[in-house]
């Protein structure tokens, strides 16, 4: 329905993807979803409750615009507590809908130099925080997959790293 919440759009899929999942199962296929894990819609629960997770560069929160058919979204920092939210969402999607394939896309490596996330503090320069984000966000991607895999051993996570500036 919107980025950040990752709930099924019940106007498009009134049965909460049940018939789609049944059809896939009948063909021996898996239910997969495309994600940009570093965005959240402006009115998503995570954004309304935790705006401090936004990607911030040089004092400016990073506006991602609309993501496909969803509303305008903000960039979210994977090197913050936002990662724990995303882990929970992936596990929920597996357990509630049977999603086993997660396609991740558009995860830029150089995005955040905020001093209040887990990639540097005020005493670190903006450049140090940016470079540490570049390292930490990749480590957080790995942590997400490891934690979700422990809870849901049959999942597949596909990282799209086809463009430059990716981890």
């Amino acid at each position: 329905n919107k980025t950040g919440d990752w709930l099924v759009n019940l106007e498009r899929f009134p049965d909460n993807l049940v018939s789609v999942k049944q059809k896939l199962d009948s063909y021996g296929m898996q239910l997969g979803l495309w994600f940009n894990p570093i965005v959240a819609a402006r009115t998503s629960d995570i954004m309304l409750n935790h705006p401090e997770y936004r990607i911030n560069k040089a004092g400016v929160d990073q506006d991602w615009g609309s993501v496909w058919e969803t509303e305008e979204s903000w960039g979210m920092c994977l090197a913050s507590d936002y990662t724990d939210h995303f882990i929970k969402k992936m596990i929920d999607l597996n357990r509630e809908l049977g999603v086993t394939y997660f396609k991740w896309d558009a995860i830029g490596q150089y995005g955040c130099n905020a001093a209040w996330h887990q990639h540097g503090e005020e005493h670190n320069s903006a450049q140090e925080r940016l470079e540490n984000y570049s390292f930490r966000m990749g480590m957080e991607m790995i942590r997400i997959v490891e934690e979700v895999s422990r809870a849901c051993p049959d999942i597949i996570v596909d990282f799209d790293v086809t463009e430059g500036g990716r981890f």
Side-chain angles (χ1 to χ4, degrees):
N1 195 26
K2 60 177 82 173
T3 59
D5 287 342
W6 296 295
L7 301 172
V8 175
N9 182 330
L10 295 176
E11 290 180 23
R12 289 184 150 176
F13 304 100
D15 69 351
N16 204 32
L17 291 177
V18 170
S19 60
V20 171
K21 176 77 169 90
Q22 288 173 340
K23 189 68 155 177
L24 290 170
D25 289 346
S26 76
Y27 289 117
M29 299 173 72
Q30 298 177 353
L31 178 58
L33 297 177
W34 176 94
F35 286 88
N36 180 340
I38 62 168
V39 295
R42 292 183 180 203
T43 63
S44 64
D45 286 343
I46 191 65
M47 180 53 56
L48 295 174
N49 293 313
H50 294 283
E52 72 274 14
Y53 297 162
R54 280 188 261 190
I55 289 176
N56 186 287
K57 192 170 183 181
V60 178
D61 290 335
Q62 299 300 294
D63 184 352
W64 279 71
S66 60
V67 178
W68 292 22
E69 294 86 17
T70 68
E71 68 184 71
E72 299 286 315
S73 298
W74 291 105
M76 303 298 277
C77 181
L78 282 182
S80 73
D81 290 340
Y82 171 73
T83 300
D84 293 325
H85 165 77
F86 190 66
I87 289 168
K88 182 181 180 322
K89 284 294 180 179
M90 286 185 66
I91 292 170
D92 289 349
L93 288 166
N94 174 264
R95 291 181 177 163
E96 294 169 11
L97 302 176
V99 179
T100 55
Y101 178 84
F102 296 89
K103 170 71 171 181
W104 292 4
D105 196 3
I107 307 169
Q109 189 171 2
Y110 295 96
C112 189
N113 65 6
W116 54 89
H117 294 157
Q118 299 160 4
H119 51 88
E121 299 172 349
E122 286 291 332
H123 69 273
N124 301 107
S125 71
Q127 186 63 33
E128 287 173 323
R129 293 190 304 265
L130 184 66
E131 290 174 7
N132 194 21
Y133 172 79
S134 170
F135 173 76
R136 284 293 311 273
M137 60 79 56
M139 299 307 292
E140 291 301 313
M141 290 168 60
I142 293 167
R143 182 173 77 87
I144 293 167
V145 173
E146 287 175 343
E147 290 194 26
V148 175
S149 293
R150 271 193 290 279
C152 313
D154 295 332
I155 68 143
I156 297 168
V157 179
D158 181 1
F159 297 160
D160 182 346
V161 292
T162 56
E163 294 93 353
R166 304 289 174 92
F167 180 81

